[in-house]
């Protein structure tokens, strides 16, 4: 009998990282009946990904509201998924990572006594407020999950240290690398106006510093420090700062208030995935608090300065493709200037080696479920 697999995602990074896995399950039609549910925690930023990867969504819950609170969103996810799970009765629910969709889809599945498979399992900072609320969201998913697909040895070890049964942990690499490889392939035939716009902004004479950010623990003073650092860095006439601004109003309002109209600073709407990958590959340095960007950049050989005080992705720091710079203005500025001036150091940390995966994660996950599910 075919196994019924139900995917639940809600945000941009979940959809990017689940897209290759959904496709891989769909290739195995004789074994699996695949159903895809979007909570719609994100809207425009999620639609960009669904469109690019051509994901067929069976059920769209459309739950996003402007500047939603965690409580409001959580209760809507829990309530809306009950009916879906009652109707679909899947054998497995697949969730990804650490968003509110992840945590509450896990709880909803548990209440319906459906097995949960957690993709990108085992990431930890061991600080419950950093990142907030993601550290606890992924711990909730980890507590409920029946199968834990860990991207790295370290992530698997974190789960073992929490007494998770070793037999339920499978190390696969991160599906984000599968997505990146697919993304580069699909881009060749994708009509992309956003890349054309970017080509008009960038100049061969100037180095690009790409910025992204959205972490809740950086709201307020963190983002003000980051913006003030960017302002000072932008005084260098040899660089362009390109910043696709996250749509969360707590980010967008601060960033546009402090950085609009500044020379050398280009504030853009969130870019579609292929345009963002293209821009990463053209960048000299990436300044970010994003999880996914930390994982993708080493494949392109672009150094990442992580504007956070902690990271659940220590592999990049260990392999020297990323530096944890925090959110203090002076530290961000001095690290960027050091990398702009010190060619030897720049070369040392811009190596094309990726500790997060090899592009085979989705295949490994599907094979595992085929054999053991
Ligand atoms: C969410 C996740 C975070 C993930 C990030 C990826 C939670 C609590 N947070 O943060 O873990 O790293 O997504 O980007 O799960 N908005 C739009 N359009 C969109 C998306 C967001 O307008 O397409 C605005 C809305 O006003 C929305 C707000 O952003 O209410 C916040 O969205 P939410 O998903 O709650 O949090 P993020 O900061 O996006
Ligand atoms: N990304 C994108 N467009 C952008 C910025 C980022 O497609 O303008 C992609 C990026 O390549 C990565 C993912 O979005 O795959 C990261 O999402 P985000 O930083 O919002 O979330 P996180 O990874 O921190 O959870």
């Amino acid at each position: 009998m075919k196994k019924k697999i139900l995917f639940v995602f809600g945000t941009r990074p979940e959809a990017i990282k689940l897209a290759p896995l959904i496709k891989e399950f769909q290739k195995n039609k004789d074994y699996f009946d695949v159903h895809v549910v979007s909570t719609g925690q994100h809207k425009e930023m999620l639609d960009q990904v669904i469109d690019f990867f051509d994901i067929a969504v069976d059920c769209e819950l459309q739950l996003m509201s402007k500047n939603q609170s965690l409580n409001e969103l959580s209760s809507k996810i829990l309530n809306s998924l009950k009916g879906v799970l009652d109707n679909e009765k899947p054998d497995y629910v697949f969730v990804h990572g650490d968003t509110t969709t992840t945590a509450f889809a896990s709880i909803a599945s548990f209440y319906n006594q459906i097995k949960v498979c957690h993709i990108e399992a085992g990431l930890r900072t061991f600080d419950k407020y950093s990142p907030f609320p993601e550290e606890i969201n992924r711990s909730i998913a980890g507590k409920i999950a029946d199968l834990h697909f860990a991207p790295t040895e370290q992530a698997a070890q974190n789960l073992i240290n929490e007494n998770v049964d070793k037999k339920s942990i499978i190390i696969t690499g991160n599906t984000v690398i599968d997505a990146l490889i697919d993304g580069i392939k699909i881009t060749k035939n994708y009509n992309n106006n956003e890349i054309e716009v970017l080509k008009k902004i960038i100049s061969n004479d100037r180095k690009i510093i790409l910025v992204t950010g959205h972490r809740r623990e950086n709201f307020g003073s963190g983002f003000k420090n980051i913006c003030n650092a960017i302002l000072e860095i932008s005084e260098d006439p040899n660089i362009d700062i390109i910043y696709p601004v996250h749509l969360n109003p707590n980010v967008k309002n601060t960033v546009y208030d402090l950085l609009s109209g500044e020379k050398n600073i280009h504030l853009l709407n969130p870019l579609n995935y292929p345009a963002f990958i293209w821009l990463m590959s053209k960048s000299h340095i990436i300044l970010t608090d994003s999880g996914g960007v930390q994982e993708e950049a080493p494949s392109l050989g672009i150094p990442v300065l992580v504007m956070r005080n902690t990271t659940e992705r220590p592999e990049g720091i260990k392999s020297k493709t990323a530096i944890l710079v925090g959110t203090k203005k002076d530290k961000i500025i001095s690290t960027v200037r050091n990398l702009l001036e010190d060619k030897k150091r720049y070369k040392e940390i811009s190596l094309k080696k990726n500790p997060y995966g090899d592009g085979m994660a989705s295949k490994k996950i599907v094979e595992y479920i085929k054999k053991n599910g």
Side-chain angles (χ1 to χ4, degrees):
M1 254 248 298
K2 279 194 201 181
K3 293 273 177 220
K4 185 160 193 177
I5 307 284
L6 187 139
F7 283 90
V8 185
F9 60 67
T11 66
R12 167 172 73 187
E14 292 165 82
I16 291 172
K17 291 169 166 186
L18 286 177
L21 185 58
I22 293 171
K23 303 263 169 217
E24 196 59 38
F25 269 111
Q26 284 171 337
K27 277 189 209 159
N28 288 274
K29 283 198 170 49
D30 294 345
Y31 294 86
F32 303 113
D33 179 9
V34 181
H35 197 87
V36 178
V37 179
S38 163
T39 62
Q41 175 177 338
H42 279 178
K43 196 171 187 301
E44 303 87 333
M45 288 163 57
L46 180 63
D47 291 344
Q48 288 178 319
V49 181
I50 290 173
D51 175 51
F52 174 66
F53 283 105
D54 200 15
I55 305 169
V57 178
D58 301 288
C59 170
E60 294 198 34
L61 299 173
Q62 299 183 333
L63 300 183
M64 196 195 87
S65 58
K66 288 286 165 198
N67 209 4
Q68 60 208 357
S69 75
L70 296 175
N71 302 47
E72 178 196 358
L73 176 65
S74 305
S75 57
K76 285 199 285 191
I77 295 170
L78 208 47
N79 282 332
S80 311
L81 280 179
K82 166 85 176 121
V84 177
L85 297 176
D86 283 347
N87 283 337
E88 296 299 333
K89 297 187 177 52
D91 295 293
Y92 291 102
V93 170
F94 273 69
V95 295
H96 178 279
D98 51 21
T99 70
T100 294
T101 289
T102 316
F104 286 88
S106 302
I107 294 176
S109 306
F110 168 64
Y111 286 165
N112 269 37
Q113 300 191 15
I114 298 165
K115 284 186 183 159
V116 172
C117 298
H118 188 201
I119 307 297
E120 200 182 81
L123 276 63
R124 298 287 185 271
T125 61
F126 309 102
D127 176 344
K128 77 179 191 184
Y129 292 115
S130 179
F132 172 81
E134 289 82 3
E135 178 72 1
I136 295 301
N137 282 347
R138 57 193 171 220
S139 304
I140 291 170
K143 191 76 195 161
I144 291 171
D146 298 274
L147 291 172
H148 308 258
F149 293 97
T152 63
E153 296 274 353
Q154 180 62 58
Q157 191 56 50
N158 292 340
L159 292 167
I160 293 167
N161 295 347
E162 289 174 10
N163 294 325
V164 172
D165 182 358
K166 266 187 184 175
K167 289 201 267 332
S168 68
I169 305 169
I170 306 98
I171 301 174
T172 59
N174 198 309
T175 57
V176 76
I177 311 302
D178 312 15
L180 186 65
I181 294 168
D182 286 355
I184 292 168
K185 267 191 228 148
I186 305 169
T187 302
K188 290 185 181 136
N189 301 315
Y190 189 81
N191 185 10
N192 204 323
N193 293 336
E194 291 190 0
I195 294 184
E196 297 312 313
V197 172
L198 288 169
K199 280 181 185 163
K200 289 185 187 132
I201 296 175
I202 67 177
S203 146
N204 287 337
D205 307 334
R206 294 194 298 274
K207 290 181 171 141
I208 297 170
I209 298 184
L210 171 61
V211 183
T212 79
H214 66 83
R215 299 251 82 91
R216 272 177 160 73
E217 66 276 12
N218 289 347
F219 289 175
S221 63
F223 267 99
K224 282 192 188 134
N225 292 340
I226 290 169
C227 289
N228 287 327
I230 291 170
L231 267 178
E232 245 178 89
I233 294 166
S234 76
E235 286 166 12
D236 181 340
N238 299 312
I239 59 149
D240 271 317
I241 291 179
I242 307 194
Y243 187 166
V245 185
H246 195 285
L247 295 180
N248 190 321
N250 299 291
V251 178
K252 197 173 170 179
N253 295 343
T254 309
V255 170
Y256 275 87
D257 279 354
L258 293 175
L259 300 180
S260 283
E262 294 293 334
K263 204 167 158 246
N264 302 349
I265 302 181
H266 308 272
L267 302 181
L268 309 175
N269 280 326
L271 292 167
N272 61 42
Y273 188 56
F276 189 76
I277 302 173
W278 182 87
L279 184 58
M280 274 200 287
S281 72
K282 301 284 172 209
S283 299
H284 190 67
I285 295 170
I286 301 177
L287 280 174
T288 191
D289 64 17
S290 161
V293 175
Q294 286 178 63
E295 293 156 347
E296 291 161 342
S299 285
L300 305 167
I302 315 298
V304 175
L305 307 191
V306 183
M307 298 187 294
R308 293 173 46 185
N309 297 323
T310 59
T311 180
E312 58 289 303
R313 293 167 169 90
E315 296 86 353
I317 311 287
K318 275 188 209 137
S319 67
K320 295 195 168 36
T321 55
I323 304 172
L324 200 59
V325 290
T327 55
K328 297 249 169 26
K329 179 182 143 197
D330 290 347
K331 175 81 174 164
I332 297 171
I333 297 172
S334 62
T335 315
V336 168
R337 288 197 175 141
N338 174 266
L339 286 182
L340 287 169
E341 284 155 18
D342 187 342
K343 293 198 168 57
K344 186 165 167 269
R345 178 143 193 250
Y346 182 83
K347 211 171 160 196
E348 277 165 10
I349 68 159
S350 53
L351 301 175
K352 268 196 191 174
K353 54 171 181 183
N354 198 317
Y356 297 107
D358 58 5
M360 298 303 288
S362 304
K363 280 201 165 55
K364 286 180 192 159
I365 295 165
V366 172
E367 280 313 308
Y368 182 88
I369 300 286
K370 249 183 178 177
K371 282 197 189 118
N372 306 285

